[in-house]
Amino acid sequence: MLKGSYYSPEVETLERSDLDALIDERVRYTVHYAAEHSPFYRNWFRENGINPDDIRDHEDLLHLPTISGKTIREHQPPITQEFEFLSTAWNDVFSIQETSGTSGTPKGFFLTWDDWKRYAEKYARSFVSQGFSNKDRIVVCASYGMNVGANTMTIAARNIGMGIIPIGKCTFESRILKSYKPTAIVGSVFKLLRLARRLAAEGLKISDTSIDKLVVGGESFAEESRIYLSELWGVPVYNTYGSTEGTMCGECTQISGLHVPEDLVHLDVYDPQVKSFVKDGECGRGILTTLLPVGGKCGMLLINYDTEDTTVVLSRERCGCGRTHMRIVNPQREAETVWLYGNPFSRSDIEAAVFQNQNMISLTGEYEAFLQDTDVPGETVLQVNLECFDPERCDRHGIEDQFVSRFLKFKPLIAEHYHDQSFHIKFKFTGPRGLDFYSLKGRPKRLVDHRER
Ligand SMILES: [Zn+2]
């Protein structure tokens, strides 16, 4: 991408000191707006003995408690009479959204049209940073529903002047690519892998399509699977991290972390006990705060909201693309992280081990893993099921060796237990659609911890 191609150049390239001053001004305004307009925050400040006037800058947010998805659920019907997070008059609510609700009642979110414009601004910046322009035509595989993702991308596309093909799922026919010649697809890594495979089975040469970039998001993934996807399609793959709560971070063409739109969403990274900030470069929990421009209104805002995702601030220096907004590591679901013998690992660690180069000659990339106790106290088994194009014709030993060496690479404590044989890794090779999760509903759970607590 040419340097100097931005959606909102002034704000995206602000010097750090000016950006921090803008953030502090918005923190003060947002805190006041919350105290005045949301019943939840009015009580929250009172109950915690906090005077909103005392919150002067972003570091002061450390003195406020954090809230979570649970807090939102506990302050909305049927638990309370009213939606206590609602921070505007019902007349001003343009749309009501919900999070996917994987754990209990979905959280209600209220957006004014101004909120939509700010959400779309974040995606538009991200798209432009990935080289999108009015010459692009993009297939949106993200679903159009109660979450904001696909709709936000659509408004962002309109603002950039690019074309939208709003399919809302990845299971589209190859004629879509042949007839409309889109230049990009937005979807999840695994859906785009499956799509490539299906198109290839239909005789379409993937590298001959009009697609020149892919945008992924929706779940975290290993760098190895991104590289594989990129090779399969022969195009760059850019990552995004978005949620109905209002995070919309995206990788630019430099692929060196996701830019956080810092003037619109403030992200702090806390230690695991959620007591203090961790240093840049250290892993911690992402805690976000909506930032409203002075004079702005919004349907619902979040202050110190625990995303339950872990991340790392990579840099607050100017990026190679010219943007100054900080860059973070692709966030991981904390719930998907398990601890074993003192080392943490996540689904992405399994995935990285699966997507080793030589493995991908015989593996489809689909996998599932289960962590189990054995009959011997202190012993643990990681059962890894791998889908092969043809289980009869795959180099099982080679794949197992590749997997084990990559999986143990950064986990010295787990490796020790592996070598003294109190930790075992067992493999099962299945044919196409032979994994357990195919018979279950919903998004596949690829790492399941079956150990007794
Ligand atoms: Zn950049």
Side-chain angles (χ1 to χ4, degrees):
M1 185 185 67
L2 290 173
K3 201 172 169 179
S5 176
Y6 308 103
Y7 183 72
S8 295
E10 297 80 14
V11 72
E12 289 180 79
T13 60
L14 268 183
E15 290 298 334
R16 174 51 55 185
S17 55
D18 295 334
L19 180 56
D20 281 339
L22 180 67
I23 292 167
D24 290 341
E25 179 187 64
R26 291 185 173 185
V27 165
R28 288 192 289 275
Y29 177 76
T30 302
V31 163
H32 270 275
Y33 184 91
E36 276 169 40
H37 294 90
S38 143
F40 169 79
Y41 286 109
R42 203 174 300 134
N43 291 333
W44 190 65
F45 287 121
R46 201 184 51 228
E47 282 167 12
N48 288 292
I50 292 154
N51 179 353
D53 287 337
D54 292 340
I55 307 301
R56 303 296 304 160
D57 60 41
H58 62 275
E59 305 229 316
D60 289 336
L61 291 171
L62 189 57
H63 307 306
L64 299 176
T66 57
I67 59 164
S68 66
K70 188 163 166 272
T71 321
I72 298 175
R73 286 193 195 95
E74 287 171 352
H75 293 86
Q76 68 174 28
I79 310 285
T80 56
Q81 198 82 30
E82 306 290 335
F83 285 92
E84 297 186 354
F85 273 86
L86 179 62
S87 59
T88 193
W90 277 99
N91 293 355
D92 295 328
V93 174
F94 171 65
S95 80
I96 299 172
Q97 310 293 136
E98 282 183 348
T99 58
S100 44
T102 42
S103 43
T105 317
K107 292 168 281 185
F109 267 81
F110 303 90
L111 275 75
T112 63
W113 179 239
D114 280 346
D115 290 319
W116 275 105
K117 286 197 279 193
R118 284 188 289 268
Y119 274 35
E121 161 94 25
K122 293 181 241 187
Y123 263 123
R125 287 184 200 170
S126 171
F127 279 137
V128 171
S129 80
Q130 292 155 355
F132 283 87
S133 71
N134 61 4
K135 295 186 180 64
D136 281 287
R137 200 153 43 246
I138 186 166
V139 178
V140 176
C141 295
S143 65
Y144 287 81
M146 289 297 270
N147 63 350
V148 301
N151 285 306
T152 312
M153 289 176 208
T154 302
I155 302 172
R158 177 252 174 217
N159 293 349
I160 298 169
M162 65 189 194
I164 276 279
I165 308 178
I167 296 179
K169 54 185 191 316
C170 262
T171 50
F172 58 83
E173 294 170 43
S174 54
R175 69 178 174 81
I176 298 285
L177 294 185
K178 289 177 196 151
S179 321
Y180 305 122
K181 300 195 170 36
T183 57
I185 309 176
V186 190
S188 72
V189 170
F190 276 89
K191 287 186 175 159
L192 291 168
L193 280 179
R194 279 176 221 152
L195 176 64
R197 219 164 277 136
R198 187 163 52 79
L199 296 175
E202 286 175 30
L204 199 74
K205 197 153 176 267
I206 301 302
S207 51
D208 288 350
T209 66
S210 48
I211 300 298
D212 63 25
K213 48 195 165 307
L214 298 173
V215 178
V216 296
E219 56 184 21
S220 55
F221 53 82
E223 192 53 31
E224 280 84 350
S225 50
R226 180 225 295 268
I227 294 168
Y228 180 67
L229 183 66
S230 180
E231 283 172 1
L232 205 57
W233 283 85
V235 301
V237 176
Y238 301 115
N239 189 17
T240 56
Y241 167 67
S243 65
T244 301
E245 286 86 345
T247 48
M248 272 90 184
C249 306
E251 270 176 338
C252 65
T253 48
Q254 302 283 313
I255 309 195
S256 55
L258 292 96
H259 282 286
V260 179
E262 287 189 75
D263 58 314
L264 295 169
V265 59
H266 177 68
L267 183 80
D268 285 314
V269 183
Y270 278 68
D271 65 14
Q273 292 76 37
V274 198
K275 290 272 181 284
S276 58
F277 301 143
V278 299
K279 289 198 202 78
D280 288 359
E282 288 178 16
C283 185
R285 288 168 86 96
I287 308 279
L288 73 84
T289 296
T290 315
L291 293 183
L292 277 179
V294 173
K297 291 179 176 178
C298 75
M300 178 153 165
L301 54 79
L302 298 173
I303 298 174
N304 276 3
Y305 178 79
D306 189 346
T307 58
E308 292 168 42
D309 288 340
T310 58
T311 188
V312 178
V313 174
L314 285 173
S315 175
R316 294 176 204 263
E317 301 294 315
R318 191 180 292 272
C319 174
C321 73
R323 289 174 183 78
T324 51
H325 291 219
M326 72 178 187
R327 284 165 285 147
I328 59 169
V329 163
N330 190 14
Q332 307 268 330
R333 292 308 292 166
E334 181 138 72
E336 291 180 353
T337 302
V338 300
W339 287 81
L340 179 66
Y341 305 121
N343 283 150
F345 74 91
S346 70
R347 183 171 56 75
S348 301
D349 290 300
I350 308 267
E351 194 167 306
V354 173
F355 279 83
Q356 292 299 297
N357 235 325
Q358 293 99 307
N359 293 359
M360 300 316 291
I361 300 162
S362 13
L363 298 182
T364 67
E366 301 286 352
Y367 67 92
E368 60 193 0
F370 307 92
L371 197 58
Q372 292 151 346
D373 295 319
T374 72
D375 297 336
V376 182
E379 270 199 19
T380 316
V381 175
L382 180 68
Q383 172 68 48
V384 181
N385 300 344
L386 300 167
E387 188 185 76
C388 314
F389 293 113
D390 179 359
E392 299 311 315
R393 296 176 54 194
C394 74
D395 170 18
R396 297 181 183 211
H397 287 298
I399 292 169
E400 292 181 13
D401 289 347
Q402 288 282 326
F403 184 99
V404 169
S405 72
R406 175 62 181 83
F407 182 71
L408 298 178
K409 198 170 178 185
F410 304 109
K411 300 172 192 65
L413 299 171
I414 298 177
E416 239 171 70
H417 286 267
Y418 179 80
H419 294 302
D420 74 14
Q421 304 199 339
S422 48
F423 173 58
H424 310 272
I425 304 178
K426 291 189 177 162
F427 294 89
K428 186 170 104 184
F429 294 86
T430 79
R433 303 199 64 80
L435 299 173
D436 291 358
F437 74 65
Y438 286 115
S439 54
L440 302 171
K441 274 182 81 175
R443 187 186 281 186
K445 203 152 189 279
R446 295 183 187 274
L447 172 60
V448 185
D449 189 354
H450 284 312
R451 289 173 301 170
E452 300 272 339
R453 302 292 166 130

